[in-house]
Amino acid sequence: MASIAVGKKEVTRDLDHCDIPYYVSEFVERELGNDYDSLGKLDSLIEKLSENKKHLEEQVLTVSSEVPKRIQNALKNAEDSKKSLSQLLEEETALSESINRHLLEAEPWMEDLDVLIGQVEEIERHLAYLQWISRIEELSDSIQQYLMTNNVPEAASTLAFMAELDIKLQDSSCSHLLAFVRSTVKFWHKILKDKLTSDFEEVLTQLRWPFVGPPQSQAFGLAAPANAPEVYSNLEMLFCQLLKLQTSDELLTKPKQLPEKYPLPPSPPVILPMQIMLNPLQKRFKYHFTGNKQTNVLNKPEWYLTQVLMWIGNHSKFLDDKIQPILDKAGSSVNAGLEFSRALVMLILEKLAADIPCLLYDDTLFCHLVDEVLLFERELYSVHGYLSSLPSCMHILSEESCFQRWLTVEKKFALQKMDSMLSSEAAWVSQYKDITDVDEMKVPDCAETFMTLLLVITDRYKNLPTASRKLQFLGLQKELVDDFRIRLTQVMKEETRASLGFRYCAILNAVNYIATVLADWADNVFFLQLQQAELEVRAESDTMSQLQLGQLASMESSVFDDMINLLERLKHDMLTRQVDHVFREVKDAAKLYKKERWLSLPSQAEQAVMSLSSTACPMLQTLRDRLLQLEQQLCHSLFKIFWQMLAEKVDLHIYQEIIMANHFNEGGAAQLHFDMSRNLFPLFSHYCKRPENYFKHIKEACIILNLNIGSALLLKDVLQSASENEPLKPSQPSATAALNELGVYKLAQRDVEILLSLRANWPNTGK
C-alpha cells in the first residue's frame, strides 16, 4: 500500500485494482494543492470535467451502436461463403464424374488413335529419310552435271554444302543414311581433290615451287615472266576451289596425331591447298632425315632444324605477297606464313618424338639436342613471328620423362660449371677491376659467371608452355643459389682469420651482388607471373599460411625472398665480423689515448697552436688505414654499411671508455674537442657531408665539456631542478629545451649531469 496526504486526511492506494479515490485525490492535490485561494478554480474545473464526461459518453454510445452491425455483416458474409463453397463442391463432383465417364468412353478411340499417330510418324520418318536420300542424290547429280560442263567451282561449292549436311546428320541414329551420305561425299571429294590437286601441282611446278634456295636465286616465284598473270590467276582460282574442299577433307581425313603423352595444344588441320604445297617439302624432309640416310644422325639435330628454318625463310615472301591476299579475298582468317610454319614444325615434333627416346640417357647428345632446339625456337619466334599458342618443340620437351631428364642434365652441368668457376685462378678477381665506371659492384668473376648461368637457364625455360614446368625450373634455380651460397660460406670460413683480406672481401662482394640481382629479378614481369602461378598452386595445396599467401598475393614478398634473406644474413654476419676486427684494432690503439692526462693539459689560451694528441695518432692511423683498405676492396654499398657500423661502435667506445672514464680541465676538454672535430670526424668526411652526425655521443659530450662556466652553471641548475621536480621559474626553460638549445639531443639528462660532474674547472661558490 502507498499513501498520499490530501489536506489533513490520508487516502490509501490499492495497487491491485483500479483505485478511483486515489486518482481523484491525486488530481485534486495536483490542481488545487494546499492553497485555499485556488478554490476559485473549482467552477472552471468542474465545467471542464463535465465536458470531458459528456464527450466520453458520446464515444461509448457510438461504439456500442456500430459494433453489432459489423458482427452481423461478418456473420452474413461467412454464411454466403459457406453456401458458395458447398455449391462449388457439388459442381466439382459432377464434373469429375463426367470426365471419368468421358475417359472411359474415349479409351478405345485413344488406342486406335495412338496406332494411327504411330503409323503417321513412321511414314513421316520414311518420307524424311527418302527426302534426305533424294536431296543427296540431287546434289550428287548437280556435281556430276557441273563436272561434265567443267564448272569445277560450282561443283566444289555443292560438295561443301553436302559436307555441311553430313555434319548436321552426325547426331542421327540412321546409320545407313549416314554411311550413304559419307560415301557420296567421299566419292566426289576424291574426284574433285584429285583433279584440283593435279591442276594445282602443275601451277606450282610452273612457279618452280618449292623454293629450295634463297629468294634471290628463285627462278620464277616472285619474278614476272610474260605468262605470270595467267599463272597467278590459275593459282588463285585453284587455291580458292581447294579451300572449298576443306570441310569435306576434314570429315574424311584423320589428321596425324602424336601420342597423348605429349601435351600439344589443340589446333585445326592445315588447310588443304597448303597441304598440297607442303607435300614436296615433307617428302624431302622424310627422305633426308628418316631411315638410314647419312643426314639422319642423332648427334646432328641442327641439320634438320636449320633446314626447316631455311625453308620457312625462303618461302615467307612468296606466302606473304601471293598466298595471303588470296586467303584474305576468300574471307579466311588463316595466316599463310604461320600455317606454313606450323605444318613444318609438326615435322620437327614428329622427328623429336622419335629421336628423344634413343638419346635420353646420353647426357652429351641429349644436352646438345636441347641446346639446338632452344636455338631453333628462339629464331622461330623472333625472326619468323611464330605464336606461343601453336604447337612447338617445348611441348615435346615438356613430356614427363624428357622433362625430368632435362632438369637432371641441367642441374648436373650447372654444378660442374660452379665447380670450375670456383676453382678457377681468377675466381675472386673482377673482370672489370681496371675500369672504374664498370667496376662499382667489384663483382668477382665467379659470382658474375654464376648469375650469367642462372640467366641462361631462365632464357632456356621461359618459353615452356605450362607454369607448372616453369616453377620446377625455378625450383632448380633456387637449389643452385642455395648450393652456391653454401659453397661461398665454406670458402668464407676458411678465410675467417683474414677477415680483411682480399678473398674475404671478394666473397662478401659476391654475396651482395647475388642478393642485389635476385632482388632486381623479383620485379621482372616473368618472375611476377611465376609468383602468381606459385600462389595459385600453394593455395590449392594448402602448404602456406594465410599470412604468407597474403604477402605473395600483395607482392610484399617475391619468389626469391627465402634466398635473399639467407644471403642478407650471410652478408650481415660477414660485415659484422669485419667491423669487429677493425674495432678491436682501434680499441687496442686507443689504450694510450684513454690514459691521456686530461686533468692537467694546458688551456687553449696557453698554446700557440692546437695540435693533435700524440696518443690519438695510433687510433686515428689505424682507422684511416682500414677505411682506405676496405674502400678499395668492398663495393660502395657494402663499404657504406661498414663505415657506418664502425662509426657507431667507435662513437660509443670513445664516449663510454674514454670520456666517461676521465675528468677534464678546460685544456683537456678543448684538446678532446680538437682531436675529435678536427681529426676523427674528417676521416669520415670523404663518405658523407656531415660525419659528426654519426658520432653524436662524442659531439654532444664535447659540447657539454666545453661550455663556458656561466652556461655550465645555469645548465646544472636547470638539470638539478628537473631531477628534484622543483617547479620552473617563469623565465626558466625545461631541461629538454635547455639541452636542445645547446645542440644536445642524443644524450639523456642523467648522462649530461655525469658529464658536468667530470668538469674540473668549477669556480668556488662557497657551497
Side-chain angles (χ1 to χ4, degrees), residues 485-552:
R485 177 188 64 82
I486 292 170
R487 292 173 187 234
L488 289 178
T489 305
Q490 291 170 345
V491 179
M492 179 269 293
K493 288 179 178 177
E494 296 173 4
E495 301 292 326
T496 302
R497 292 187 177 181
S499 58
L500 303 182
F502 170 75
R503 180 175 288 192
Y504 191 92
C505 292
I507 296 168
L508 184 51
N509 286 329
V511 171
N512 180 65
Y513 175 70
I514 295 169
T516 303
V517 173
L518 289 180
D520 290 342
W521 285 2
D523 296 328
N524 183 282
V525 174
F526 174 73
F527 289 109
L528 289 174
Q529 291 170 342
L530 283 188
Q531 180 176 344
Q532 181 62 30
E534 185 178 34
L535 173 66
E536 293 170 2
V537 170
R538 293 193 177 185
E540 291 174 4
S541 60
D542 293 330
T543 57
M544 294 182 72
S545 67
Q546 290 298 318
L547 175 61
Q548 290 173 314
L549 287 173
Q551 288 174 338
L552 266 180

Side-chain angles (χ1 to χ4, degrees), residues 63 71 76 81 122 159 173 176 245 291 344 351 431 448 458 469 474 521 548 551 568 627 635 659 718 737 759:
V63 171
I71 293 172
K76 187 176 181 300
S81 297
E122 186 176 356
L159 178 59
S173 59
H176 296 294
L245 301 185
L344 290 177
K351 174 67 174 169
Q431 297 180 27
E448 187 162 4
T458 303
R469 294 304 193 200
L474 178 64
W521 285 2
Q548 290 173 314
Q551 288 174 338
E568 288 292 337
L627 287 171
C635 71
I659 297 176
V718 170
R759 293 170 57 113

Side-chain angles (χ1 to χ4, degrees), residues 567-601:
L567 289 165
E568 288 292 337
R569 188 184 307 168
L570 176 60
K571 179 177 82 174
H572 181 266
D573 291 345
M574 294 181 70
L575 273 173
T576 302
R577 190 173 283 112
Q578 285 188 322
V579 170
D580 290 345
H581 183 100
V582 174
F583 179 64
R584 281 195 301 271
E585 292 183 352
V586 172
K587 193 162 61 170
D588 290 341
K591 287 179 179 178
L592 290 175
Y593 191 60
K594 180 180 178 180
K595 297 176 181 178
E596 183 66 67
R597 296 178 295 109
W598 300 107
L599 267 175
S600 57
L601 290 177

Side-chain angles (χ1 to χ4, degrees), residues 61 69-70 205 254 294-295 313 347 355 394 599 605:
L61 288 171
K69 291 180 182 178
R70 292 180 182 175
T205 302
K254 187 177 181 180
Q294 292 182 346
T295 47
L347 290 175
D355 283 0
M394 301 305 279
L599 267 175

